[in-house]
Amino acid sequence: MEKNIEGKLKALQDVLVKKYDLEKKIEKSPKELDSQDELLARLKKEYIEKNKSYEEIKTEVDRLKKELAEAEASKDAGEKAMDSISTHREYEALEKQISEAAAKESSVRKDLVREEKKLEELDEVLRSNESLINQQESDLNKSKESLSKEIEGYKNELASLKKEEDEIIPGLDSEIVYKFQRIIQRNSEGIVAVKNGVCTGCQMILPAQFANEVRNGDKILFCPYCSRILFYQEVAENEVEDYSSLDETGSLADDYDDEFGDENEDLDGEDIENNGDMEDEKSLSYE
């Protein structure tokens, strides 16, 4: 692979990694507000339910107050009529009226006190819930505003990266670029070095002949195991590069001509799929 092509791919890789990371952040960011939205929805639902109970109790309190007033009025009327009775029968009737009214008054008053206490407690809860809802809505609006600015910043960065990408791509085969983009989306690394016959992307030992083809750099080659684009990297002085030891890998080296050799000429235009159809394409000539 020509050095200028290798350099372009490495530069494109840096841009694409940043680009895809930003795209993921833009997609993920709104989900960060889901918990706040859920909390607000739950608070509002609880408020509606409690407010319904409040209105029901308030209606009951109003009814009891009316009933209490009627009982008190009946008792007072009976007590006043006592002053003008003329027969024992009238006395007994008024005494019964007063007794029943007093009993009714006592019973209704107890019920009223109980319901008014419930109403007071529920009113405090509603006030507290209303305060929480207002606070939650305020926090959520601030978060949305902050997120909107954050996403806008991401989009500006993406626009800048798109310009860089457009400047790098000219001179690169469109099919290579397409496949390179797909590889980086999965692995975050689309071009890796071959060092001592090993793909540094997946750490797999490559067949000796294939590794030598990468070293020659006549064409763009993809790792037959991880599908990344490969380039040759010089080893350090204290490292020994010996492809003869790769013969010990058995069929990987011995069967290379059958599995990979003849395909280097025929794979232009074919798609590469990772962990599936990508394993069927071992190399792609770059013209």
Side-chain angles (χ1 to χ4, degrees):
M1 177 169 41
E2 297 179 9
K3 285 294 181 183
N4 66 318
I5 299 300
E6 179 185 322
K8 275 179 169 287
L9 289 174
K10 288 180 179 178
L12 181 59
Q13 175 173 268
D14 292 340
V15 170
L16 291 177
V17 168
K18 294 176 183 177
K19 173 184 172 181
Y20 297 143
D21 180 59
L22 286 172
E23 289 176 344
K24 288 178 181 178
K25 286 181 178 179
I26 291 174
E27 181 182 1
K28 181 182 178 182
S29 293
K31 296 178 182 178
E32 296 175 0
L33 299 180
D34 287 350
S35 59
Q36 286 180 277
D37 275 322
E38 290 173 2
L39 176 58
L40 180 58
R42 186 168 65 250
L43 287 173
K44 286 184 175 181
K45 182 180 179 181
E46 291 175 356
Y47 181 86
I48 291 172
E49 291 173 350
K50 285 183 171 62
N51 191 63
K52 182 180 178 181
S53 298
Y54 178 87
E55 292 300 326
E56 291 174 351
I57 295 173
K58 187 173 181 295
T59 299
E60 177 65 8
V61 167
D62 291 340
R63 187 190 69 79
L64 290 171
K65 284 182 177 180
K66 183 179 179 181
E67 193 172 348
L68 177 62
E70 291 174 351
E72 288 176 339
S74 178
K75 188 181 74 170
D76 289 344
E79 289 176 346
K80 287 179 180 180
M82 278 289 190
D83 296 334
S84 59
I85 61 173
S86 58
T87 65
H88 184 68
R89 180 176 295 180
E90 289 176 340
Y91 174 81
E92 288 180 342
L94 288 175
E95 188 177 52
K96 180 180 180 182
Q97 176 183 331
I98 294 170
S99 176
E100 289 178 350
K104 182 74 171 180
E105 178 187 4
S106 176
S107 175
V108 171
R109 194 179 296 281
K110 288 180 181 178
D111 291 343
L112 181 59
V113 169
R114 183 185 67 247
E115 294 302 313
E116 284 182 330
K117 184 178 181 181
K118 288 166 61 176
L119 193 66
E120 183 180 351
E121 291 174 348
L122 199 50
D123 183 63
E124 291 181 4
V125 171
L126 284 172
R127 290 178 185 277
S128 176
N129 282 11
E130 189 173 352
S131 177
L132 284 174
I133 288 172
N134 291 335
Q135 183 62 50
Q136 183 65 20
E137 284 183 331
S138 176
D139 292 344
L140 184 57
N141 289 334
K142 288 179 182 178
S143 296
K144 286 181 177 179
E145 184 178 350
S146 175
L147 181 62
S148 178
K149 292 180 181 179
E150 191 175 84
I151 290 177
E152 187 63 29
Y154 291 156
K155 289 181 178 178
N156 290 337
E157 289 184 59
L158 278 177
S160 177
L161 289 171
K162 183 65 170 61
K163 290 181 181 179
E164 291 185 47
E165 184 180 357
D166 291 342
E167 292 174 359
I168 296 170
I169 286 178
L172 294 175
D173 182 88
S174 60
E175 186 177 350
I176 292 291
V177 172
Y178 172 71
K179 294 173 181 177
F180 191 62
Q181 290 170 334
R182 294 180 66 189
I183 292 169
I184 291 177
Q185 283 178 323
R186 288 188 292 268
N187 301 309
S188 298
E189 196 174 26
I191 180 169
V192 295
V194 172
K195 190 174 180 181
N196 278 332
V198 175
C199 169
T200 57
C202 61
Q203 307 304 317
M204 294 292 290
I205 298 175
L206 300 171
Q209 183 180 338
F210 183 78
N212 279 322
E213 287 187 19
V214 175
R215 182 175 187 177
N216 293 335
D218 296 331
K219 51 192 172 184
I220 292 179
L221 296 172
F222 293 81
C223 175
Y225 307 111
C226 69
S227 301
R228 295 176 173 92
I229 292 177
L230 302 172
F231 68 91
Y232 174 74
Q233 180 176 315
E234 294 285 352
V235 296
E237 294 181 359
N238 62 341
E239 295 177 318
V240 178
E241 187 171 17
D242 184 7
Y243 289 150
S244 63
S245 63
L246 298 178
D247 291 337
E248 297 177 2
T249 60
S251 60
L252 289 181
D254 297 337
D255 298 336
Y256 171 72
D257 287 336
D258 294 333
E259 294 186 11
F260 308 124
D262 296 336
E263 294 183 5
N264 291 334
E265 301 282 332
D266 305 325
L267 288 176
D268 290 339
E270 293 183 4
D271 195 9
I272 299 176
E273 295 293 342
N274 193 32
N275 296 326
D277 56 320
M278 292 188 77
E279 292 185 343
D280 295 331
E281 183 174 343
K282 312 306 179 187
S283 64
L284 179 64
S285 297
Y286 178 77
E287 298 180 2

